[in-house]
Amino acid sequence: AQSVTQPDIHITVSEGASLELRCNYSYGATPYLFWYVQSPGQGLQLLLKYFSGDTLVQGIKGFEAEFKRSQSSFNLRKPSVHWSDAAEYFCAVGGTTDSWGKLQFGAGTQVVVTP
Amino acid sequence: DVKVTQSSRYLVKRTGEKVFLECVQDMDHENMFWYRQDPGLGLRLIYFSYDVKMKEKGDIPEGYSVSREKKERFSLILESASTNQTSMYLCASETGLNYGYTFGSGTRLTVV
């Protein structure tokens, strides 16, 4: 069955430290890959996406993600987090044969930033 | 910017009531979606629509129906609300190209 896994439900990181959020997918072919962020009380905002080409993708707010086909992973990174990065982060996949523009989301990772 | 507006931010309904959640987008997008968001489960697709009067079931359609009479409006209907439908509901519209999604701010529904 197709699936998207975010192994970390909750991560606590100090302000100024680096952050890495993990995402693994299980699909027959390489899907389209996305990272979204949801701040409290808000809808989802797209951070970055990967369709093809360069496997290191730059996004907004200083985030980047790396696609690794051999590991079926698309991990999100930020070198130095700010207090405003506290939010919930969702990995999503699309582009499978029957997707009709649908996205399948992981369970999310809640990020807490400490002073 | 494209806007997706969900009519209610918070909603409290009683068990057995018929509930309508409304979503309007202002950019002529073809595709519209209703997701349900629960802690530890992420977002799960309830229904989607790729054209007026067209609808397709998502992963968890049971207990829900939808209506799309006009391109800009996509309504989610809970025929008889139950407590296990207490959740955050997110509407999204999409251009039909390259997964250009825009999400609404969500409706937090509590069924008592």
Side-chain angles (χ1 to χ4, degrees), chain B residues 72-89:
Chain B
E72 66 270 19
R73 186 180 297 271
F74 191 36
S75 303
L76 180 69
I77 304 159
L78 287 65
E79 296 290 343
S80 178
S82 65
T83 55
N84 63 12
Q85 292 178 308
T86 291
S87 186
M88 171 70 88
Y89 291 88

Side-chain angles (χ1 to χ4, degrees), chain B residues 28-75:
Chain B
D28 203 38
H29 282 178
E30 301 292 331
N31 299 338
M32 295 188 74
F33 304 83
W34 275 106
Y35 286 89
R36 168 176 174 159
Q37 182 181 3
D38 298 289
L41 296 177
L43 280 73
R44 294 177 291 166
L45 181 63
I46 305 171
Y47 267 97
F48 67 103
S49 168
Y50 52 90
D51 201 352
V52 175
K53 298 190 185 294
M54 305 300 289
K55 59 186 179 183
E56 294 286 341
K57 292 180 180 179
D59 299 319
I60 52 165
E62 296 79 17
Y64 303 95
S65 62
V66 291
S67 172
R68 194 168 181 199
E69 296 296 319
K70 294 185 178 181
K71 193 172 188 179
E72 66 270 19
R73 186 180 297 271
F74 191 36
S75 303

Side-chain angles (χ1 to χ4, degrees), chain A residues 32 34 36 38 41-44 49 51 88 90 94-96 99-103 105-107, chain B residues 9 31 33 35 37-38 40-43 45 48 50 57 90 94 98-99 101 103-106:
Chain A
Y32 300 154
F34 306 81
Y36 284 85
Q38 185 181 36
Q42 303 295 316
L44 274 67
K49 60 186 176 184
F51 287 175
E88 190 158 22
F90 293 94
T96 54
S99 64
W100 275 102
K102 296 181 291 182
L103 290 175
F105 288 84
Chain B
R9 188 74 182 91
N31 299 338
F33 304 83
Y35 286 89
Q37 182 181 3
D38 298 289
L41 296 177
L43 280 73
L45 181 63
F48 67 103
Y50 52 90
K57 292 180 180 179
L90 290 170
E94 192 257 334
N98 294 329
Y99 290 80
Y101 267 64
F103 282 88
S105 297

Side-chain angles (χ1 to χ4, degrees), chain A residues 35-59:
Chain A
W35 275 100
Y36 284 85
V37 61
Q38 185 181 36
S39 298
Q42 303 295 316
L44 274 67
Q45 180 183 20
L46 179 67
L47 286 175
L48 46 78
K49 60 186 176 184
Y50 173 79
F51 287 175
S52 65
D54 192 346
T55 57
L56 187 62
V57 181
Q58 301 298 319

